[in-house]
Amino acid sequence: VSPTSEKAGDIEVRIAGLHVHPIKSCGGIAVPEALVIETGFEFDRAWMVVDEAGRLVTQRELPRMALIQPTLKHHDMVLRAPGMLALHIALDTVELPVQVTVWNDTVKAYDMGDLAAQWFSDFLGPWRGGKLRLARFDPEQRRLSDPRWTGPIEAENAFADAFPLLVASTAGLGEFNRRMVAAGHAPVTMQRFRPNIVLDGLDAHGEDHLDEIVFAVPEGPVRIKMVKPCSRCSIPDVDPATAETGHAVGDALASYRADARLDGALTFGMNAVILEGIESTLRLGLTGSASYRFD
């Protein structure tokens, strides 16, 4: 459903998917429920692979990062990758405090030790002449989203690119895949676009036009506000199952998803911030009320 020239009423949406990506640019996890915290979902983009200078490394440079698959257990995160023994990372333990750089932000973090560094370096290979390391975001650090998009809302992030949540829709993926198939390519999964929340109940890319979504949970309302279309880089063209790269996804986006609001950048999904509901839990199948933006 898209807005008309007259004010439309709210629409009911349903959570069709919840996803957490513990290590920035590595594999994601489909989860049945997710705890909302100040920086988005608990454990989402809480860790990041860095070079020896503390600068982020992503699938843009090392597509094989897509093959690193985390699993969250009660007390640890288990990492698996082809040809590697499993690596266990304790959820309640960090090592040395360090500073790392995520895009233009230098922030406080914790190095996760030599064993993790060796594991990532062995699987991904040396990078920029040195070992790769794993860092965890320091929860005492406040890294805020761009106020040009959030206005007075101080939206905190961990290692996500720029905003705490990314929202997409099943209908949007369906329309995208219709175009992929028409162009002679196989359809892709939502993994390509790495959202946190996937919604049912919208027309194709209907999330573009939403303002707020309110979910009623036992802890109280969870209010999420859409603030910016999500511009896409080359990562959706990395196959999450094989780490092979291509250009079919980018070509399909270019055929219909150039966004004038971002000077023609290709977009899929909406970046969102949290207005209310910290320490509340969202669950699969939960319905909410979405309102439209009129601008």
Side-chain angles (χ1 to χ4, degrees):
V1 179
S2 299
T4 64
S5 58
E6 297 180 1
K7 184 172 178 61
D10 292 356
I11 179 174
E12 183 178 276
V13 294
R14 186 182 71 88
I15 297 178
L18 293 169
H19 302 269
V20 174
H21 303 80
I23 304 174
K24 185 177 181 67
S25 230
C26 293
I29 307 170
V31 295
E33 60 183 42
L35 180 68
V36 179
I37 64 172
E38 287 81 359
T39 56
F41 285 164
E42 185 180 32
F43 301 125
D44 189 62
R45 279 86 171 187
W47 292 266
M48 181 172 74
V49 181
V50 298
D51 65 13
E52 288 193 332
R55 296 170 296 195
L56 86 157
V57 179
T58 74
Q59 287 183 39
R60 297 165 183 83
E61 301 89 16
L62 294 173
R64 274 169 60 84
M65 291 178 71
L67 302 179
I68 297 173
Q69 183 59 52
T71 303
L72 292 173
K73 303 292 188 182
H74 291 297
H75 303 295
D76 58 6
M77 173 174 63
V78 183
L79 303 181
R80 293 180 173 86
M84 301 291 291
L85 295 174
L87 175 68
H88 291 251
I89 302 288
L91 296 178
D92 61 354
T93 302
V94 294
E95 296 204 14
L96 293 175
V98 291
Q99 285 195 326
V100 299
T101 302
V102 48
W103 303 119
N104 294 321
D105 297 329
T106 298
V107 298
K108 295 185 295 183
Y110 292 96
D111 185 86
M112 296 305 297
D114 291 339
L115 181 62
Q118 190 65 55
W119 193 92
F120 279 90
S121 298
D122 287 348
F123 182 66
L124 297 171
W127 178 247
R128 294 173 179 155
K131 277 190 175 180
L132 295 169
R133 303 196 69 85
L134 185 65
R136 183 167 186 177
F137 191 80
D138 184 342
E140 297 301 314
Q141 172 78 50
R142 293 188 85 230
R143 178 175 171 247
L144 299 181
S145 298
D146 189 338
R148 289 177 298 175
W149 294 98
T150 63
I153 304 162
E154 293 192 344
E156 295 186 42
N157 304 279
F159 288 135
D161 277 352
F163 297 91
L165 292 172
L166 176 61
V167 178
S169 65
T170 55
L173 181 67
E175 172 61 18
F176 176 80
N177 277 330
R178 186 187 69 78
R179 293 169 181 266
M180 284 284 283
V181 171
H185 302 292
V188 300
T189 67
M190 191 63 90
Q191 284 178 280
R192 296 281 188 141
F193 299 103
R194 304 172 68 80
N196 298 112
I197 301 173
V198 183
L199 298 175
D200 273 343
L202 297 168
D203 283 351
H205 305 292
E207 65 272 21
D208 291 354
H209 308 291
L210 297 183
D211 180 23
E212 289 186 24
I213 309 172
V214 181
F215 297 102
V217 301
E219 301 94 329
V222 177
R223 293 172 57 218
I224 297 168
K225 183 177 178 65
M226 313 299 120
V227 294
K228 177 184 174 291
C230 182
S231 56
R232 311 312 303 214
C233 61
S234 60
I235 288 180
D237 267 310
V238 179
D239 186 331
T242 66
E244 293 178 1
T245 59
H247 55 80
V249 170
D251 290 347
L253 288 174
S255 73
Y256 79 118
R257 291 295 296 171
D259 197 310
R261 292 172 290 182
L262 298 178
D263 299 323
L266 306 181
T267 66
F268 187 103
M270 288 290 290
N271 294 119
V273 300
I274 303 152
L275 300 180
E276 188 178 357
I278 303 302
E279 299 298 325
S280 297
T281 299
L282 294 181
R283 294 177 172 83
L284 279 180
L286 185 67
T287 58
S289 177
S291 60
Y292 288 115
R293 185 184 66 252
F294 294 86
D295 52 17

